[in-house]
Amino acid sequence: MIDTMIPYGKQDINQEDVDSVISVLQSDWLTQGPKVPLFEQTLANKCQAKYAITVNSATSALHIACLALEVSKSDIVWTSPITFVASANCALYCGATIDFVDIDLSSGNMSTRILTEKLKQAKQKNCLPKVVIPVHLAGQSCDMQAIYQLSQEYGFNIIEDASHAIGGSYQGKPIGNCQYSDITVFSFHPVKIITSAEGGMAVTNNADLAKKMQLYRSHGITSDPEEMTEASHGPWYYQQIALGFNYRMTELQAALGVSQLKRLDHFIAQRNKIAKIYDVAFKETDITPLIANKDCLSAYHLYLILLPEANSEQHKQVIITLREQNICAHVHYIPVHLQPFYQNLGFKQGDFPNAEQYYQRAITLPLHPKLTLQEQNYIIDKVKALL
Ligand SMILES: *Cc1c(COP(=O)(O)O)cnc(C)c1O
C-alpha cells in the first residue's frame, strides 16, 4: 500500500518559492543585497523581537550568540543533553566548559527542578554557568519564565535554541520575542519548520548584542564610522575591529526564507492538526506522546512518542520494523554527553539518567505538512499493531 519510505520530516516547496529564488538569480545581488535585510525585518516583526541577524546556519547563530555574550575560556555553559550536538558545541567553539542539565521525561525539555538544584550546588562550589541554553524540543517551549527568574537570581544569560520552534508560542506570545532570554536562535535546515536550504537567525531585543552578532557574522569588519578607531581614509574604507567569521546567508537563501515565512502559520496549523490525530489515536494505548504544556502552542517540528518502558532491544526492533514497512521512524536525540567526543571530555553513562532513559524509549514518527491522512492512518495502524 505504501511503496516509498515516508520521511520523518520534509520541506514543502511551492512555485512561489521557486520563482522567488529564480528572480534573485536574475538580479544584481547574489549575496549582501536586499533580501537578507528583508528576511530579518519580516522575521523580527513576526516574532516581535527588535533585531534579527541572519546567518548561514543555526550552528553559526549559536556561535555568534555565545561570542556576543562574551563566552570565553574561563566560562561554563549549560544546555540539555537531549538536543542536536550544535547546542553544546557552540560553547566549546569559544573555549568554554560545557555541562548539561537533565531533562524532564514527560516533556523532553530541560527540567526546571533539576536546573534549580544544580544552580544551588554550583553556587556553593563557585562554578555557576555564564550562559544557559534551553532547547525547545520538538517545538514546545521550555518553562522560560521560571528559567528567567533563576537567571535573575543566579546571574546567567539565556540563549533559547528554538531551532524546532519557529511559529510556536509561549504564554500567548511568539517564540523569539526574547521576553525571557537575551537571544533566541532559529534553524532553517530543510527538515525544520521553514527552510532556506541551509540557514539560521539570531533575534534579540538588545542593540549591543545585535551589533556584536552583526560584526561576528562578517569577519569582525565594520563600515560604521562610529565604531572605528580613527577617521575614515575615504569611501573605500572599513576596519576589522574583532575576529569574526564568514557566516553570511546568501540572497538566494534569504529569498526562499522570505517566501517560506509567508506560509509559516499554515505550516504550524497543519503540523498541529496532524499531531492531534496522532494524540487521539494513541489515547487508550501504552504509547505516551510528549506532554503538551497548556502555556504553549508547539510548532511540532517533531512528533515524539515514548514507549512504556526503557528497553533498548525492543526500542530498536520497533524502529527497524517500522522502517521495513516504509515508515522512517527516528530517534531525537542520542544524548549529547554519550557521544564519543563528549565522553572524551569526561562525561559518562549514568550522568543524566532521565536523558538516558528517554533515549531508550523515544521514537520520532513522521510529521510534515505534506503527510497525507492515508499515510498517517497507515503509520498509526502499524505502530499500534507493534505495541
Ligand atoms: C537543527 C538544529 C540545530 C542546528 O541547525 P543548523 O541550521 O543545521 O545548523 C541546532 N540545534 C537544534 C536543537 C537543532 O535541531
Side-chain angles (χ1 to χ4, degrees), residues 30-66:
L30 300 185
T31 186
Q32 294 177 285
K35 293 294 182 190
V36 161
L38 176 64
F39 190 22
E40 291 174 338
Q41 197 51 57
T42 317
L43 193 123
N45 291 345
K46 183 84 198 166
C47 61
Q48 297 171 15
K50 280 201 187 126
Y51 308 97
I53 294 88
T54 309
V55 282
N56 56 5
S57 71
T59 304
S60 304
L62 287 162
H63 186 192
I64 60 170
C66 285

Side-chain angles (χ1 to χ4, degrees), residues 57-59 62 83-84 86-87 135 161 163-164 187-189 192 198-199 333:
S57 71
T59 304
L62 287 162
T83 183
F84 184 57
S87 318
V135 180
D161 184 342
S163 293
H164 299 182
S187 171
F188 310 124
H189 181 281
K192 306 287 162 71
E198 294 278 0
Y333 288 91

Side-chain angles (χ1 to χ4, degrees), residues 13-263:
I13 300 290
N14 71 8
Q15 192 57 44
E16 202 183 324
D17 294 335
V18 173
D19 293 342
S20 67
V21 174
I22 289 173
S23 75
V24 170
L25 267 176
Q26 293 164 332
S27 78
D28 289 337
W29 303 98
L30 300 185
T31 186
Q32 294 177 285
K35 293 294 182 190
V36 161
L38 176 64
F39 190 22
E40 291 174 338
Q41 197 51 57
T42 317
L43 193 123
N45 291 345
K46 183 84 198 166
C47 61
Q48 297 171 15
K50 280 201 187 126
Y51 308 97
I53 294 88
T54 309
V55 282
N56 56 5
S57 71
T59 304
S60 304
L62 287 162
H63 186 192
I64 60 170
C66 285
L67 288 173
L69 290 168
E70 297 176 0
V71 172
S72 70
K73 226 168 64 188
S74 51
D75 296 319
I76 301 167
V77 173
W78 291 358
T79 189
S80 169
I82 295 298
T83 183
F84 184 57
V85 292
S87 318
N89 287 344
C90 59
L92 303 180
Y93 296 158
C94 301
T97 300
I98 188 80
D99 200 359
F100 301 93
V101 180
D102 208 352
I103 60 162
D104 168 23
L105 252 172
S106 61
S107 70
N109 280 334
M110 176 183 285
S111 157
T112 314
R113 183 184 58 77
I114 295 171
L115 175 63
T116 308
E117 281 306 308
K118 200 174 166 94
L119 285 165
K120 269 187 206 150
Q121 289 170 14
K123 189 173 180 181
Q124 281 168 3
K125 291 190 223 150
N126 205 14
C127 57
L128 283 166
K130 181 177 180 71
V131 174
V132 174
I133 308 180
V135 180
H136 305 321
L137 186 72
Q140 175 166 257
S141 178
C142 296
D143 190 358
M144 289 313 301
Q145 186 171 6
I147 296 172
Y148 176 76
Q149 277 161 1
L150 290 168
S151 78
Q152 298 304 99
E153 190 179 340
Y154 290 93
F156 56 86
N157 291 109
I158 300 173
I159 302 171
E160 290 173 72
D161 184 342
S163 293
H164 299 182
I166 195 168
S169 66
Y170 172 70
Q171 296 181 342
K173 292 182 191 151
I175 292 189
N177 76 347
C178 295
Q179 182 182 359
Y180 297 122
S181 63
D182 297 282
I183 298 169
T184 301
V185 165
F186 298 115
S187 171
F188 310 124
H189 181 281
V191 296
K192 306 287 162 71
I193 312 280
I194 61 168
T195 189
S196 60
E198 294 278 0
M201 185 112 58
V203 294
T204 181
N205 292 326
N206 181 313
D208 182 50
L209 292 176
K211 206 177 245 179
K212 283 184 178 150
M213 290 194 284
Q214 277 156 1
L215 205 61
Y216 287 123
R217 157 177 73 178
S218 195
H219 307 284
I221 282 176
T222 182
S223 304
D224 178 359
E226 298 273 306
E227 300 279 305
M228 293 184 186
T229 56
E230 58 175 310
S232 173
H233 297 181
W236 66 88
Y237 194 61
Y238 57 82
Q239 276 190 346
Q240 184 188 343
I241 57 171
L243 183 62
F245 302 85
N246 182 352
Y247 282 167
R248 294 187 306 259
M249 177 184 272
T250 68
E251 289 286 289
L252 299 151
Q253 293 167 304
L256 180 55
V258 169
S259 181
Q260 287 261 306
L261 203 46
K262 291 182 189 158
R263 306 209 295 296

